[in-house]
Amino acid sequence: QVQLVESGGGSVQAGGSLRLSCAASRYTVSINCMGWFRQVPGKEREGVADIDSLGSTSYADSVKGRFTVSKDNAKNTLYLQMNSLKPEDTAMYYCAAASTYSCRWYPLKRYEYSYWGQGTQVTVSS
């Protein structure tokens, strides 16, 4: 089991920035990949960015150049720095973790992630 708790969401105007955090705790498995996903009502949850145990990262085309995923292994914390935010970035953002999935070769596969946080809302106004 892995417990994931997100924070850092909020409301911001277009062009602004937010930094999401995801604290991982209560490990009983080794984590290989961690990722950020987002979902708006009525749509499927989509991958935003993920990072593997060696630091290899992947991004959805819609956020490349604007978002940066990183992790602090000492703090067991995953981050998502979001810059140049757009109204279409408005969504509930979820942190996820996987133990056996290889996100380096097959990135942003939602169904490969076994552990999920409760989500944090990001709202971008125009």
Side-chain angles (χ1 to χ4, degrees):
Q1 289 291 342
V2 179
Q3 184 176 47
L4 303 171
V5 179
E6 303 97 333
S7 62
S11 297
V12 65
Q13 288 192 328
S17 298
L18 284 174
R19 188 195 196 201
L20 305 183
S21 299
C22 172
S25 62
R26 300 183 182 178
Y27 288 70
T28 60
V29 296
S30 175
I31 295 175
N32 188 50
C33 290
M34 295 190 74
W36 289 98
F37 290 76
R38 65 187 182 186
Q39 188 171 22
V40 297
K43 293 190 175 182
E44 290 191 354
R45 193 170 297 187
E46 65 173 2
V48 175
D50 57 21
I51 183 168
D52 76 358
S53 58
L54 298 180
S56 177
T57 58
S58 298
Y59 296 91
D61 288 343
S62 59
V63 307
K64 281 180 182 177
R66 301 188 298 122
F67 291 10
T68 303
V69 62
S70 62
K71 58 178 181 171
D72 185 332
N73 291 329
K75 296 182 179 180
N76 294 325
T77 301
L78 179 74
Y79 301 101
L80 184 68
Q81 178 65 45
M82 305 186 294
N83 298 328
S84 302
L85 282 161
K86 304 176 180 180
E88 51 263 43
D89 294 318
T90 296
M92 184 72 78
Y93 283 71
Y94 297 91
C95 171
S99 58
T100 59
Y101 165 48
S102 178
C103 52
R104 173 186 292 258
W105 307 114
Y106 307 101
L108 303 177
K109 301 300 185 185
R110 181 187 70 215
Y111 48 83
E112 295 286 358
Y113 282 89
S114 302
Y115 309 102
W116 294 86
Q118 293 301 306
T120 185
Q121 178 68 36
V122 171
T123 302
V124 184
S125 57
S126 57

PDB file of all heavy atoms in Angstrom, residues 46-71:
ATOM      1  N   GLU A  46      -6.938  11.965 -17.675  1.00  0.00           N
ATOM      2  CA  GLU A  46      -5.852  11.971 -18.648  1.00  0.00           C
ATOM      3  C   GLU A  46      -4.497  12.186 -17.982  1.00  0.00           C
ATOM      4  O   GLU A  46      -4.404  12.868 -16.952  1.00  0.00           O
ATOM      5  CB  GLU A  46      -6.074  13.065 -19.708  1.00  0.00           C
ATOM      6  CG  GLU A  46      -6.032  14.477 -19.173  1.00  0.00           C
ATOM      7  CD  GLU A  46      -6.090  15.528 -20.265  1.00  0.00           C
ATOM      8  OE1 GLU A  46      -6.194  15.167 -21.447  1.00  0.00           O
ATOM      9  OE2 GLU A  46      -6.024  16.724 -19.917  1.00  0.00           O
ATOM     10  N   GLY A  47      -3.494  11.598 -18.567  1.00  0.00           N
ATOM     11  CA  GLY A  47      -2.144  11.742 -18.051  1.00  0.00           C
ATOM     12  C   GLY A  47      -1.582  13.117 -18.334  1.00  0.00           C
ATOM     13  O   GLY A  47      -1.774  13.663 -19.421  1.00  0.00           O
ATOM     14  N   VAL A  48      -0.880  13.662 -17.358  1.00  0.00           N
ATOM     15  CA  VAL A  48      -0.251  14.971 -17.502  1.00  0.00           C
ATOM     16  C   VAL A  48       1.270  14.812 -17.574  1.00  0.00           C
ATOM     17  O   VAL A  48       1.918  15.302 -18.487  1.00  0.00           O
ATOM     18  CB  VAL A  48      -0.626  15.888 -16.321  1.00  0.00           C
ATOM     19  CG1 VAL A  48       0.121  17.212 -16.412  1.00  0.00           C
ATOM     20  CG2 VAL A  48      -2.128  16.108 -16.270  1.00  0.00           C
ATOM     21  N   ALA A  49       1.834  14.106 -16.586  1.00  0.00           N
ATOM     22  CA  ALA A  49       3.286  13.917 -16.546  1.00  0.00           C
ATOM     23  C   ALA A  49       3.594  12.763 -15.621  1.00  0.00           C
ATOM     24  O   ALA A  49       2.854  12.514 -14.671  1.00  0.00           O
ATOM     25  CB  ALA A  49       3.980  15.178 -16.037  1.00  0.00           C
ATOM     26  N   ASP A  50       4.674  12.048 -15.911  1.00  0.00           N
ATOM     27  CA  ASP A  50       5.137  11.063 -14.957  1.00  0.00           C
ATOM     28  C   ASP A  50       6.656  10.997 -14.938  1.00  0.00           C
ATOM     29  O   ASP A  50       7.335  11.569 -15.795  1.00  0.00           O
ATOM     30  CB  ASP A  50       4.489   9.681 -15.119  1.00  0.00           C
ATOM     31  CG  ASP A  50       4.648   9.050 -16.480  1.00  0.00           C
ATOM     32  OD1 ASP A  50       5.572   9.441 -17.223  1.00  0.00           O
ATOM     33  OD2 ASP A  50       3.837   8.165 -16.818  1.00  0.00           O
ATOM     34  N   ILE A  51       7.160  10.322 -13.899  1.00  0.00           N
ATOM     35  CA  ILE A  51       8.594  10.262 -13.670  1.00  0.00           C
ATOM     36  C   ILE A  51       8.913   8.908 -13.063  1.00  0.00           C
ATOM     37  O   ILE A  51       8.191   8.415 -12.204  1.00  0.00           O
ATOM     38  CB  ILE A  51       9.038  11.428 -12.749  1.00  0.00           C
ATOM     39  CG1 ILE A  51      10.550  11.431 -12.547  1.00  0.00           C
ATOM     40  CG2 ILE A  51       8.308  11.398 -11.403  1.00  0.00           C
ATOM     41  CD1 ILE A  51      11.052  12.725 -11.888  1.00  0.00           C
ATOM     42  N   ASP A  52       9.999   8.284 -13.534  1.00  0.00           N
ATOM     43  CA  ASP A  52      10.344   6.978 -12.990  1.00  0.00           C
ATOM     44  C   ASP A  52      11.417   7.102 -11.916  1.00  0.00           C
ATOM     45  O   ASP A  52      11.864   8.203 -11.575  1.00  0.00           O
ATOM     46  CB  ASP A  52      10.727   6.006 -14.113  1.00  0.00           C
ATOM     47  CG  ASP A  52      12.115   6.243 -14.682  1.00  0.00           C
ATOM     48  OD1 ASP A  52      12.818   7.185 -14.260  1.00  0.00           O
ATOM     49  OD2 ASP A  52      12.512   5.470 -15.576  1.00  0.00           O
ATOM     50  N   SER A  53      11.823   5.960 -11.385  1.00  0.00           N
ATOM     51  CA  SER A  53      12.747   5.950 -10.248  1.00  0.00           C
ATOM     52  C   SER A  53      14.121   6.524 -10.583  1.00  0.00           C
ATOM     53  O   SER A  53      14.850   6.949  -9.688  1.00  0.00           O
ATOM     54  CB  SER A  53      12.904   4.525  -9.718  1.00  0.00           C
ATOM     55  OG  SER A  53      13.378   3.683 -10.741  1.00  0.00           O
ATOM     56  N   LEU A  54      14.459   6.568 -11.891  1.00  0.00           N
ATOM     57  CA  LEU A  54      15.746   7.121 -12.307  1.00  0.00           C
ATOM     58  C   LEU A  54      15.634   8.572 -12.761  1.00  0.00           C
ATOM     59  O   LEU A  54      16.612   9.165 -13.197  1.00  0.00           O
ATOM     60  CB  LEU A  54      16.338   6.275 -13.446  1.00  0.00           C
ATOM     61  CG  LEU A  54      16.636   4.824 -13.085  1.00  0.00           C
ATOM     62  CD1 LEU A  54      17.206   4.081 -14.287  1.00  0.00           C
ATOM     63  CD2 LEU A  54      17.593   4.737 -11.901  1.00  0.00           C
ATOM     64  N   GLY A  55      14.418   9.119 -12.694  1.00  0.00           N
ATOM     65  CA  GLY A  55      14.236  10.520 -13.045  1.00  0.00           C
ATOM     66  C   GLY A  55      13.828  10.784 -14.472  1.00  0.00           C
ATOM     67  O   GLY A  55      13.762  11.942 -14.898  1.00  0.00           O
ATOM     68  N   SER A  56      13.553   9.732 -15.224  1.00  0.00           N
ATOM     69  CA  SER A  56      13.094   9.920 -16.599  1.00  0.00           C
ATOM     70  C   SER A  56      11.663  10.436 -16.584  1.00  0.00           C
ATOM     71  O   SER A  56      10.807   9.884 -15.894  1.00  0.00           O
ATOM     72  CB  SER A  56      13.159   8.592 -17.354  1.00  0.00           C
ATOM     73  OG  SER A  56      12.663   8.749 -18.664  1.00  0.00           O
ATOM     74  N   THR A  57      11.403  11.487 -17.363  1.00  0.00           N
ATOM     75  CA  THR A  57      10.095  12.140 -17.330  1.00  0.00           C
ATOM     76  C   THR A  57       9.382  12.057 -18.677  1.00  0.00           C
ATOM     77  O   THR A  57      10.019  11.946 -19.738  1.00  0.00           O
ATOM     78  CB  THR A  57      10.231  13.616 -16.946  1.00  0.00           C
ATOM     79  OG1 THR A  57      11.104  14.270 -17.886  1.00  0.00           O
ATOM     80  CG2 THR A  57      10.812  13.770 -15.547  1.00  0.00           C
ATOM     81  N   SER A  58       8.057  12.122 -18.618  1.00  0.00           N
ATOM     82  CA  SER A  58       7.232  12.177 -19.823  1.00  0.00           C
ATOM     83  C   SER A  58       6.121  13.177 -19.585  1.00  0.00           C
ATOM     84  O   SER A  58       5.672  13.354 -18.442  1.00  0.00           O
ATOM     85  CB  SER A  58       6.633  10.805 -20.134  1.00  0.00           C
ATOM     86  OG  SER A  58       7.635   9.852 -20.387  1.00  0.00           O
ATOM     87  N   TYR A  59       5.677  13.812 -20.676  1.00  0.00           N
ATOM     88  CA  TYR A  59       4.638  14.836 -20.569  1.00  0.00           C
ATOM     89  C   TYR A  59       3.602  14.663 -21.671  1.00  0.00           C
ATOM     90  O   TYR A  59       3.914  14.248 -22.795  1.00  0.00           O
ATOM     91  CB  TYR A  59       5.246  16.231 -20.709  1.00  0.00           C
ATOM     92  CG  TYR A  59       6.212  16.600 -19.612  1.00  0.00           C
ATOM     93  CD1 TYR A  59       7.572  16.349 -19.735  1.00  0.00           C
ATOM     94  CD2 TYR A  59       5.750  17.182 -18.434  1.00  0.00           C
ATOM     95  CE1 TYR A  59       8.463  16.675 -18.722  1.00  0.00           C
ATOM     96  CE2 TYR A  59       6.625  17.510 -17.408  1.00  0.00           C
ATOM     97  CZ  TYR A  59       7.978  17.255 -17.565  1.00  0.00           C
ATOM     98  OH  TYR A  59       8.846  17.571 -16.558  1.00  0.00           O
ATOM     99  N   ALA A  60       2.382  15.035 -21.352  1.00  0.00           N
ATOM    100  CA  ALA A  60       1.353  15.137 -22.378  1.00  0.00           C
ATOM    101  C   ALA A  60       1.720  16.308 -23.291  1.00  0.00           C
ATOM    102  O   ALA A  60       2.298  17.304 -22.840  1.00  0.00           O
ATOM    103  CB  ALA A  60      -0.003  15.378 -21.734  1.00  0.00           C
ATOM    104  N   ASP A  61       1.382  16.192 -24.554  1.00  0.00           N
ATOM    105  CA  ASP A  61       1.718  17.251 -25.511  1.00  0.00           C
ATOM    106  C   ASP A  61       1.139  18.599 -25.084  1.00  0.00           C
ATOM    107  O   ASP A  61       1.756  19.651 -25.314  1.00  0.00           O
ATOM    108  CB  ASP A  61       1.197  16.887 -26.900  1.00  0.00           C
ATOM    109  CG  ASP A  61       1.991  15.766 -27.538  1.00  0.00           C
ATOM    110  OD1 ASP A  61       3.118  15.485 -27.084  1.00  0.00           O
ATOM    111  OD2 ASP A  61       1.479  15.152 -28.498  1.00  0.00           O
ATOM    112  N   SER A  62      -0.024  18.561 -24.459  1.00  0.00           N
ATOM    113  CA  SER A  62      -0.715  19.808 -24.101  1.00  0.00           C
ATOM    114  C   SER A  62      -0.001  20.604 -23.012  1.00  0.00           C
ATOM    115  O   SER A  62      -0.303  21.790 -22.828  1.00  0.00           O
ATOM    116  CB  SER A  62      -2.138  19.496 -23.649  1.00  0.00           C
ATOM    117  OG  SER A  62      -2.124  18.618 -22.545  1.00  0.00           O
ATOM    118  N   VAL A  63       0.929  19.968 -22.289  1.00  0.00           N
ATOM    119  CA  VAL A  63       1.598  20.681 -21.195  1.00  0.00           C
ATOM    120  C   VAL A  63       3.102  20.814 -21.400  1.00  0.00           C
ATOM    121  O   VAL A  63       3.782  21.443 -20.591  1.00  0.00           O
ATOM    122  CB  VAL A  63       1.314  20.004 -19.834  1.00  0.00           C
ATOM    123  CG1 VAL A  63      -0.180  19.839 -19.612  1.00  0.00           C
ATOM    124  CG2 VAL A  63       2.035  18.667 -19.712  1.00  0.00           C
ATOM    125  N   LYS A  64       3.630  20.214 -22.454  1.00  0.00           N
ATOM    126  CA  LYS A  64       5.071  20.296 -22.693  1.00  0.00           C
ATOM    127  C   LYS A  64       5.524  21.746 -22.792  1.00  0.00           C
ATOM    128  O   LYS A  64       4.897  22.566 -23.447  1.00  0.00           O
ATOM    129  CB  LYS A  64       5.426  19.550 -23.986  1.00  0.00           C
ATOM    130  CG  LYS A  64       5.488  18.056 -23.828  1.00  0.00           C
ATOM    131  CD  LYS A  64       5.851  17.370 -25.148  1.00  0.00           C
ATOM    132  CE  LYS A  64       5.874  15.872 -24.989  1.00  0.00           C
ATOM    133  NZ  LYS A  64       6.159  15.188 -26.277  1.00  0.00           N
ATOM    134  N   GLY A  65       6.623  22.033 -22.124  1.00  0.00           N
ATOM    135  CA  GLY A  65       7.162  23.383 -22.135  1.00  0.00           C
ATOM    136  C   GLY A  65       6.551  24.299 -21.091  1.00  0.00           C
ATOM    137  O   GLY A  65       7.064  25.395 -20.843  1.00  0.00           O
ATOM    138  N   ARG A  66       5.462  23.848 -20.449  1.00  0.00           N
ATOM    139  CA  ARG A  66       4.799  24.671 -19.427  1.00  0.00           C
ATOM    140  C   ARG A  66       4.847  24.015 -18.046  1.00  0.00           C
ATOM    141  O   ARG A  66       4.941  24.712 -17.039  1.00  0.00           O
ATOM    142  CB  ARG A  66       3.339  24.931 -19.811  1.00  0.00           C
ATOM    143  CG  ARG A  66       3.164  25.636 -21.129  1.00  0.00           C
ATOM    144  CD  ARG A  66       1.694  26.030 -21.358  1.00  0.00           C
ATOM    145  NE  ARG A  66       0.809  24.873 -21.425  1.00  0.00           N
ATOM    146  CZ  ARG A  66      -0.232  24.691 -20.613  1.00  0.00           C
ATOM    147  NH1 ARG A  66      -0.514  25.570 -19.663  1.00  0.00           N
ATOM    148  NH2 ARG A  66      -1.006  23.613 -20.759  1.00  0.00           N
ATOM    149  N   PHE A  67       4.755  22.702 -18.005  1.00  0.00           N
ATOM    150  CA  PHE A  67       4.734  21.961 -16.739  1.00  0.00           C
ATOM    151  C   PHE A  67       6.047  21.205 -16.563  1.00  0.00           C
ATOM    152  O   PHE A  67       6.640  20.732 -17.540  1.00  0.00           O
ATOM    153  CB  PHE A  67       3.594  20.950 -16.719  1.00  0.00           C
ATOM    154  CG  PHE A  67       2.212  21.540 -16.655  1.00  0.00           C
ATOM    155  CD1 PHE A  67       1.984  22.900 -16.822  1.00  0.00           C
ATOM    156  CD2 PHE A  67       1.117  20.719 -16.409  1.00  0.00           C
ATOM    157  CE1 PHE A  67       0.707  23.432 -16.755  1.00  0.00           C
ATOM    158  CE2 PHE A  67      -0.173  21.229 -16.339  1.00  0.00           C
ATOM    159  CZ  PHE A  67      -0.378  22.584 -16.530  1.00  0.00           C
ATOM    160  N   THR A  68       6.454  21.071 -15.297  1.00  0.00           N
ATOM    161  CA  THR A  68       7.645  20.301 -14.971  1.00  0.00           C
ATOM    162  C   THR A  68       7.353  19.387 -13.789  1.00  0.00           C
ATOM    163  O   THR A  68       6.918  19.861 -12.737  1.00  0.00           O
ATOM    164  CB  THR A  68       8.819  21.226 -14.619  1.00  0.00           C
ATOM    165  OG1 THR A  68       9.081  22.120 -15.708  1.00  0.00           O
ATOM    166  CG2 THR A  68      10.078  20.414 -14.332  1.00  0.00           C
ATOM    167  N   VAL A  69       7.607  18.095 -13.980  1.00  0.00           N
ATOM    168  CA  VAL A  69       7.432  17.128 -12.898  1.00  0.00           C
ATOM    169  C   VAL A  69       8.797  16.844 -12.281  1.00  0.00           C
ATOM    170  O   VAL A  69       9.810  16.759 -12.981  1.00  0.00           O
ATOM    171  CB  VAL A  69       6.766  15.829 -13.408  1.00  0.00           C
ATOM    172  CG1 VAL A  69       7.607  15.127 -14.457  1.00  0.00           C
ATOM    173  CG2 VAL A  69       6.441  14.901 -12.246  1.00  0.00           C
ATOM    174  N   SER A  70       8.805  16.724 -10.965  1.00  0.00           N
ATOM    175  CA  SER A  70      10.058  16.426 -10.265  1.00  0.00           C
ATOM    176  C   SER A  70       9.732  15.705  -8.969  1.00  0.00           C
ATOM    177  O   SER A  70       8.560  15.626  -8.573  1.00  0.00           O
ATOM    178  CB  SER A  70      10.843  17.706  -9.977  1.00  0.00           C
ATOM    179  OG  SER A  70      10.113  18.559  -9.131  1.00  0.00           O
ATOM    180  N   LYS A  71      10.755  15.179  -8.323  1.00  0.00           N
ATOM    181  CA  LYS A  71      10.528  14.511  -7.047  1.00  0.00           C
ATOM    182  C   LYS A  71      11.707  14.731  -6.126  1.00  0.00           C
ATOM    183  O   LYS A  71      12.844  14.913  -6.572  1.00  0.00           O
ATOM    184  CB  LYS A  71      10.278  13.019  -7.253  1.00  0.00           C
ATOM    185  CG  LYS A  71      11.403  12.282  -7.954  1.00  0.00           C
ATOM    186  CD  LYS A  71      11.091  10.803  -8.083  1.00  0.00           C
ATOM    187  CE  LYS A  71      12.242  10.080  -8.773  1.00  0.00           C
ATOM    188  NZ  LYS A  71      12.081   8.618  -8.733  1.00  0.00           N
TER     189      LYS A  71
END
